[in-house]
Structures are given as C-alpha cells and as structure tokens.
C-alpha cells in the first residue's frame, strides 16, 4: 500500500512534473475504491449536494453534511490525502467563523486540507485559516456556490477582462497563504499563464492540461450523475446503466420466482418431521 502523501509530496511532484490525480468521493465504498486505484487525493466536494443528496445546486449543503461525508471517506481511504470542501455559508461571514468551521474538518473528520471558493472577496478567510496552521486550497473560475452571480454553471476567463480578474485573484490567493489552487472551467491558455505566475501547485477541473494535475467529479466520470454532463467530463463508465439493468433483472427474477434459488436460503438443521410437529403446536 502506498504511503499517504502530504502537501510536501505534492510540491515535490510539481517539481518533477509528475501529475496529481484526484477525484471527488462522498462515501466509504467510493473512497476505498479510490485508495485501491492509487488516486493521489480525494475531495469531499460540496457537489455531494447534487451528486448524492439530490439538490439542484450546492447552496443547501451544510457543515454537518460535509463532516459526516468526510468521516465516511476517511474511513474508506485512511491512506489518501483528503480535502474537505467548505460549504456555502461556512466561511462567508467572519474570519473567526471560517477558522472554526475549517478546524472542524481536521478535528472531526481527520481531513488533511480544506478548500474554499473565491478570490479577493475571501482573501481574509484564506489568510486566517492558513494562519491557524491549516492547509488551504483555493478555487477560482467557475465557482458553483456563486453560480447565481455568474449566471449559471458557465466557463470563466474566456475574455481578457475576465481573465485579468482571475489572474489577480490567483496571485492574491497564493500571497494569502493557500498551498494549492484549483482552476475550474477556464481556457488552457489562462491555466498555463496562471501556473507560470504561481509557485504553489495549480490543478484543473475543466481547465486543460497545462498544470499540475486533474480533478474530476466521480459521479460525472462514472456515469452516475444524470442531471447534466459538463463539456470537460470524460465518461469512463456507465455505472448508472449497470445499476439500472441489475435492478430490472432483479425485478424480473422476483416476479417470476427465479430469485431466491436454493443456494440463497438457510436450510433447517433438525428433521422436517420435528419442524412439522413444531408447526402443529401452533395450530
Ligand atoms: O464540490 C466540488 O466537487 C467542487 C468541484 C466542482 C471542484 O468544488
């Protein structure tokens, strides 16, 4: 089994040009599969609101939801670097509340780092959490928690004006003490430029190749999440199809009494005559 990586290992990988692979996971089985498959990191994203809890967006997700899913992921992947995602409302108020909520991810769920969305408007929160000794991942570009302000789940940084703001945000995030940055749904040209300006690792979800690694949402890449599929997703499996077909086959087997078979039942240990006597006692 590979040794659990630390943030320093990710710095080393960046230096060597070795790409980091990460996915989101929200529960014990998925986390254990990720560990077995050799993923470098797991994000317990607040996307759990859409992928697992059936909300239309991430806004309703609470700290308690995130902590409970992080705990399950930690149990499933004790040897993988796990990042807890700060949900909407957990860091938008005061620096103190942001630190207190970030601390919960480490104390209650043994996370290795936290991630929060936004640039200049959350700089004081990034600084406060980093100053508390917690590894912070920044996240800019398409930030789902502010999809209302962005006018939907839309790619960012495609115009010079929008790209300029993202470059400024990226620099401020590093200066505030973040140890890594995630870029979501921005053009690769911008990703490459931001990478060249920062010393911390820069990762992509829908931000192209020229950076230090890739993140995907497990529900997207496995074909589990059905509501929509972003352009940047490569589907590696049709798990929903496999599950639906299995359920259909089960329904058919139940209706036609093909299930359960003899091998699926427990056999009596005493004689059938003894059992018949027993049943008579109740007549
Ligand atoms: O919640 C999440 O999974 C995320 C990704 C979209 C980056 O924040």
């Amino acid at each position: 089994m590979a040794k659990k990586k630390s943030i320093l290992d990710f710095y080393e990988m960046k230096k060597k040009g070795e790409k980091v692979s990460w996915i989101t996971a929200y529960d014990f089985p998925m986390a254990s599969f990720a560990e077995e498959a050799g993923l470098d990191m797991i994000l317990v994203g607040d996307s759990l609101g859409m992928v697992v809890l059936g909300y239309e967006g991430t806004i309703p997700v609470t700290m308690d939801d995130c902590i409970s899913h992080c705990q399950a992921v930690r149990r499933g992947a004790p040897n993988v670097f796990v990042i807890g995602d700060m949900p909407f409302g957990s860091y938008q108020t005061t620096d103190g509340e942001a630190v207190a909520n970030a601390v919960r991810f480490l104390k209650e769920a043994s996370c290795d780092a936290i991630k929060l969305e936004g640039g200049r408007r959350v700089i004081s929160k990034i600084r406060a959490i980093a100053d508390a000794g917690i590894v912070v991942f920044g996240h800019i570009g398409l930030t789902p928690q502010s999809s209302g302000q962005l006018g939907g789940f839309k790619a960012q940084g495609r115009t010079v004006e929008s790209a300029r703001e993202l470059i400024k945000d990226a620099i401020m995030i590093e200066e505030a003490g973040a140890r890594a940055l995630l870029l979501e749904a921005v053009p690769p040209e911008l990703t490459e430029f931001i990478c060249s300006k920062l010393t911390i690792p820069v990762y992509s979800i829908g931000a192209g190749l020229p950076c230090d690694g890739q993140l995907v949402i497990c529900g997207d890449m496995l074909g589990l999440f059905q509501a929509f599929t972003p352009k940047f997703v490569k589907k590696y499996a049709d798990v929903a199809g496999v599950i639906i077909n299995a359920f259909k086959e089960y329904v058919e087997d139940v209706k036609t009494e093909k299930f359960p078979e003899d091998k699926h039942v427990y056999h009596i240990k005493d004689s059938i005559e003894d059992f018949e006597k027993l049943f008579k006692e109740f007549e």
Side-chain angles (χ1 to χ4, degrees):
M1 183 183 303
K3 189 177 141 281
K4 186 173 143 189
K5 294 185 175 76
S6 76
I7 191 69
L8 297 183
D9 293 307
F10 298 122
Y11 278 66
E12 203 51 38
M13 288 170 79
K14 176 181 175 66
K15 227 192 278 170
K16 291 189 196 146
E18 196 185 326
K19 302 280 181 174
V20 167
S21 59
W22 45 320
I23 58 160
T24 65
Y26 317 101
D27 59 22
F28 177 91
M30 204 63 82
S32 65
F33 302 150
E35 174 158 328
E36 187 167 342
L39 267 296
D40 295 305
M41 303 193 219
I42 295 175
L43 170 70
V44 186
D46 65 348
S47 50
L48 74 90
M50 298 167 80
V51 179
V52 177
L53 302 178
Y55 296 128
E56 275 182 15
T58 57
I59 301 300
V61 175
T62 65
M63 269 304 294
D64 286 346
D65 291 332
C66 290
I67 294 292
S68 137
H69 285 271
C70 283
Q71 288 167 336
V73 165
R74 175 48 84 212
R75 287 191 288 271
N79 301 300
V80 180
F81 190 92
V82 171
I83 303 144
D85 200 12
M86 298 197 65
F88 184 69
S90 68
Y91 60 98
Q92 278 81 0
T93 52
T94 62
D95 293 359
E97 195 176 5
V99 173
N101 282 320
V103 163
R104 284 192 66 190
F105 281 99
L106 273 70
K107 280 179 101 78
E108 296 176 37
S110 303
C111 288
D112 300 290
I114 62 90
K115 172 177 89 56
L116 51 77
E117 295 183 7
R120 68 206 66 179
R121 64 171 186 252
V122 295
I123 287 303
S124 72
K125 277 73 179 187
I126 292 176
R127 188 170 291 116
I129 298 169
D131 284 351
I134 295 171
V135 175
V136 180
F137 280 45
H139 174 184
I140 54 172
L142 196 184
T143 42
Q145 290 174 14
S146 35
S147 59
Q149 273 186 343
L150 301 176
F153 294 99
K154 292 203 162 80
Q156 302 296 309
R158 300 176 79 187
T159 64
V160 167
E161 203 34 56
S162 156
R164 177 178 290 116
E165 297 311 306
L166 289 174
I167 294 165
K168 285 191 209 160
D169 280 345
I171 293 169
M172 287 171 81
I173 287 170
E174 171 165 306
E175 282 171 357
R179 305 297 297 277
L181 176 65
L182 177 66
L183 296 177
E184 178 164 355
V186 304
E189 292 84 351
L190 179 58
T191 304
E192 187 167 22
F193 183 75
I194 288 177
C195 247
S196 74
K197 287 282 151 202
L198 301 191
T199 60
I200 58 175
V202 176
Y203 302 117
S204 147
I205 175 163
L209 265 183
C211 62
D212 301 303
Q214 300 292 328
L215 165 68
V216 290
I217 292 190
C218 68
D220 287 337
M221 62 105 74
L222 295 176
L224 269 170
F225 181 66
Q226 307 276 285
F228 61 88
T229 306
K231 173 185 166 73
F232 55 76
V233 169
K234 176 175 173 184
K235 269 198 184 178
Y236 287 82
D238 176 23
V239 175
V242 171
I243 293 173
I244 292 165
N245 283 336
F247 285 166
K248 282 184 176 164
E249 204 179 317
Y250 166 71
V251 169
E252 182 62 19
D253 280 1
V254 169
K255 305 276 182 202
T256 58
E257 295 193 353
K258 272 202 213 146
F259 173 82
E261 296 168 44
D262 186 58
K263 64 185 175 195
H264 302 125
V265 301
Y266 299 97
H267 295 287
I268 56 177
K269 285 187 171 169
D270 290 325
S271 71
I272 185 66
E273 289 77 19
D274 286 344
F275 267 79
E276 281 167 358
K277 265 190 228 152
L278 166 72
F279 298 154
K280 275 215 167 72
E281 286 173 25
F282 291 90
E283 278 173 3

